[in-house]
Amino acid sequence: MGDRGGSGGSRRRRTGSRPSGQGGGGPAAAEEEVRDVGAGGDAPAPARAPEKGKDGDADAGSGHWDLRCHRLQDSLFSSDSGFSNYRGILNWCVVMLILSNARLFLENLIKYGILVDPIQVVSLFLKDPYSWPALCLVIVANVFAVAAFQVEKRLAVGALTEQAGLLLYVVNLATILCFPAAVAFLLESITPVGSVLALMVYTILFLKLCSYRDVNLWCRERRAKAKAKAGEGLPGAGATEPGHLPWGGGGTWAAAAPPSPHSLPASAGKKANGGAAQHTGVVSYPDNLTYRDLYYFLFAPTLCYELNFPRSPRIRKRFLLRRLFEMLFFTQLQVGLIQQWMVPTIQNSMKPFKDMDYSRIIERLLKLAVPNHLIWLIFFYWLFHSCLNAVAELMQFGDREFYRDWWNSESVTYFWQNWNIPVHKWCIRHFYKPMLRRGSSKWVARMGVFLASAFFHEYLVSIPLRMFRLWAFTGMMAQIPLAWIVSRFFRGNYGNAAVWLTLIIGQPVAVLMYVHDYYVLHHEALAEGS
């Protein structure tokens, strides 16, 4: 009997382990099972609590204890679920992007063959191998740097008044912009690419000398105030620390010398640029007025002058070799992509523009957007990470913040503030804040910054192409209403998507406009003349 009862209890246990959701008899079956086990005469073993796995359910071996398998929860794609690990979807996007671009690349090779020609790249820089006008322009730029240095030397000793020094600086800076523009516009032997490079050098020199003049002027003003305090016998008159400069309004002053090691975290100096920064030999005004100091600033990867730049303790050879390899590799990659991918697309876009076939124009624009944006991203990494870090490492320049996380921009304003930090710092220090100190509103100061940026964009494009269409100027000024629209109607991820869309679509529009106008001006005019 006991055996039959035991076997019956076993049968009941097996049937009682069915899910409670079938027929609604789960609790009753459990009670019946407990009664049968007690009636069988066998003392049951102490019940062990079911073990729960990671998801909170009972362990698979717990048998009849699996009475519930559902709980209150949201689907993963619901915003209330709190789920945020989409790494697999991101990997899927990368794989799809690679496959789609591989198909485009294969299609390009089948249609056009291999178009990469290194010899053709040389012809973009030189028309005549015995004539190097762009290089000569770059060498002549030293004359303007030396002229600014000599003016500063005479201002420091009082041989020139501030008004005379300002007049000489205005003439020197205006010549820096006008002289290379005239040469690039009038000299037939210089190529558009050579003109762009020469004009970029002169533009950088213009911005650097503006900063050089402002900082030395602030130092002279500081020295004059210290002398005035000393003459009046005021306490603390001699406590003038070397190299202090004004940053904001209200009489506030910020040290140009590097910050004290005690004001930084202990790990910050050790980790940055391979070791703790060296702050020995602090220079004060006018001891900074040397050719060594001037040319260090001219070659340093910054546009803002200081008397004492933060310096890294040593040159990291492996780091430098990696950056140099990246410079070489990405240069070749950009040239190959432009010749193989962009040039055929641009050439095929001329006929739709000539016929004003809008559907074909839009199709060409979207087709050009992919390689243009890819090349722009490669160019950003090549310039702001590889090139600037290589120069900084060679010169032991300590401040390596050349960009911030512009790719997370949720507004157009955030993008322009973070994608090019050297230019942004210069605009804030030498343009935006001085306008605020002179009584301008923030809106007027921002408008002035965008006007200056639009001017230099057009300056670097129109003069080498020898045509003035103002597409670059218009594109930069359009950032002002665009920034308002994005900040007003798009937030969060939608704002970030809007920023990416303007970057992907906006640049090809400007490229096609300039290429079309250049083609009409040079090729069609020559064809009609012949």
Side-chain angles (χ1 to χ4, degrees):
M1 292 292 293
D3 292 340
R4 282 197 299 271
S7 61
S10 299
R11 284 195 298 272
R12 291 182 185 272
R13 278 197 294 271
R14 284 195 295 270
T15 57
S17 63
R18 287 178 299 177
S20 59
Q22 296 181 1
E31 293 176 2
E32 182 182 359
E33 177 187 2
V34 171
R35 287 196 300 268
D36 290 343
V37 169
D42 298 331
R48 185 169 57 93
E51 297 179 358
K52 293 187 177 181
K54 289 184 179 179
D55 56 353
D57 296 330
D59 186 78
S62 61
H64 59 274
W65 291 100
D66 295 337
L67 302 180
R68 298 182 61 187
C69 64
H70 298 288
R71 58 179 175 176
L72 187 65
Q73 56 186 337
D74 293 301
S75 299
L76 292 184
F77 286 149
S78 300
S79 57
D80 295 336
S81 68
F83 183 78
S84 60
N85 185 10
Y86 297 103
R87 183 179 58 192
I89 295 179
L90 178 62
N91 292 334
W92 170 79
C93 293
V94 172
V95 171
M96 291 297 294
L97 183 66
I98 293 174
L99 291 177
S100 59
N101 283 279
R103 184 197 66 81
L104 292 175
F105 184 72
L106 182 61
E107 179 185 6
N108 180 277
L109 284 178
I110 295 173
K111 188 174 182 180
Y112 301 108
I114 298 177
L115 301 176
V116 179
D117 184 7
I119 305 300
Q120 187 181 10
V121 177
V122 178
S123 65
L124 296 176
F125 295 88
L126 294 173
K127 286 184 178 179
D128 183 359
Y130 300 101
S131 177
W132 301 64
L135 180 61
C136 293
L137 270 177
V138 172
I139 295 174
V140 172
N142 288 277
V143 175
F144 303 101
V146 172
F149 174 76
Q150 292 298 328
V151 171
E152 286 297 337
K153 289 286 286 186
R154 283 156 178 77
L155 286 170
V157 298
L160 282 175
T161 63
E162 291 294 338
Q163 291 77 11
L166 177 61
L167 178 61
L168 291 174
Y169 254 108
V170 169
V171 173
N172 190 38
L173 293 175
T175 309
I176 288 175
L177 293 181
C178 296
F179 171 69
V183 173
F185 198 78
L186 300 175
L187 190 63
E188 292 295 333
S189 61
I190 191 169
T191 63
V193 176
S195 298
V196 169
L197 296 178
L199 290 176
M200 286 184 64
V201 170
Y202 274 82
T203 301
I204 293 171
L205 179 64
F206 175 87
L207 299 176
K208 283 177 177 276
L209 291 184
C210 285
S211 180
Y212 190 69
R213 184 257 173 189
D214 284 348
V215 172
N216 284 300
L217 173 63
W218 295 335
C219 289
R220 288 193 298 274
E221 291 175 350
R222 181 74 172 184
R223 184 177 62 175
K225 287 183 180 181
K227 288 182 179 179
K229 286 183 179 181
E232 296 172 1
L234 296 176
T240 56
E241 297 159 3
H244 279 55
L245 305 175
W247 281 86
T252 58
W253 296 80
S260 170
H262 301 290
S263 63
L264 299 174
S267 60
K270 294 181 180 180
K271 292 182 179 180
N273 306 329
Q278 295 176 344
H279 299 320
T280 59
V282 176
V283 178
S284 60
Y285 185 83
D287 296 336
N288 64 305
L289 298 178
T290 62
Y291 281 111
R292 179 186 178 88
D293 180 86
L294 172 66
Y295 276 92
Y296 180 87
F297 169 56
L298 292 181
F299 284 98
T302 181
L303 299 176
C304 295
Y305 178 67
E306 289 185 19
L307 276 69
N308 298 276
F309 289 106
R311 304 291 293 273
S312 55
R314 60 186 178 87
I315 296 177
R316 296 169 291 173
K317 295 181 177 61
R318 290 186 179 179
F319 179 87
L320 179 60
L321 288 175
R322 285 199 299 268
R323 301 290 82 81
L324 292 175
F325 173 77
E326 289 174 355
M327 290 171 60
L328 180 62
F329 172 75
F330 286 119
T331 299
Q332 298 294 330
L333 182 60
Q334 289 178 86
V335 171
L337 289 175
I338 291 172
Q339 289 183 324
Q340 187 69 42
W341 204 349
M342 278 195 69
V343 172
T345 304
I346 292 173
Q347 290 175 344
N348 294 335
S349 303
M350 294 301 101
K351 190 177 186 302
F353 266 94
K354 185 178 179 180
D355 300 337
M356 297 306 293
D357 186 350
Y358 294 107
S359 59
R360 294 287 294 172
I361 290 174
I362 295 174
E363 186 268 336
R364 292 289 102 182
L365 175 65
L366 295 177
K367 191 171 183 178
L368 181 63
V370 175
N372 178 84
H373 187 65
L374 179 61
I375 291 169
W376 181 80
L377 290 175
I378 295 172
F379 173 79
F380 166 80
Y381 186 91
W382 173 82
L383 177 62
F384 288 96
H385 187 75
S386 301
C387 294
L388 294 185
N389 267 297
V391 174
E393 194 68 28
L394 282 172
M395 303 186 68
Q396 296 179 257
F397 185 80
D399 187 0
R400 308 293 176 88
E401 190 186 37
F402 305 123
Y403 54 89
R404 298 191 189 119
D405 61 333
W406 57 266
W407 47 87
N408 294 325
S409 301
E410 297 179 0
S411 66
V412 176
T413 304
Y414 187 88
F415 168 78
W416 287 110
Q417 290 174 347
N418 291 276
W419 96 279
N420 188 342
I421 295 301
V423 171
H424 175 68
K425 284 182 178 179
W426 187 94
C427 290
I428 292 294
R429 190 191 194 198
H430 300 286
F431 201 100
Y432 182 77
K433 287 186 176 180
M435 288 187 69
L436 294 182
R437 286 196 291 269
R438 290 182 175 90
S440 300
S441 65
K442 290 186 177 180
W443 188 87
V444 172
R446 291 194 192 101
M447 180 71 73
V449 170
F450 273 102
L451 273 171
S453 179
F455 165 78
F456 281 110
H457 277 78
E458 192 66 36
Y459 175 81
L460 293 172
V461 176
S462 292
I463 292 175
L465 296 178
R466 297 187 176 97
M467 63 180 191
F468 298 94
R469 296 297 186 270
L470 299 180
W471 296 118
F473 184 90
T474 304
M476 281 303 304
M477 295 308 298
Q479 300 298 309
I480 298 175
L482 179 64
W484 181 84
I485 292 172
V486 172
S487 62
R488 178 69 175 80
F489 297 103
F490 301 95
R491 301 291 177 86
N493 291 331
Y494 296 103
N496 182 253
V499 172
W500 277 112
L501 186 63
T502 58
L503 291 175
I504 296 172
I505 301 298
Q507 293 174 1
V509 171
V511 170
L512 285 178
M513 293 296 102
Y514 276 107
V515 170
H516 172 263
D517 292 347
Y518 187 82
Y519 176 82
V520 171
L521 184 63
H522 291 80
H523 296 278
E524 287 194 357
L526 291 175
E528 292 176 1
S530 61

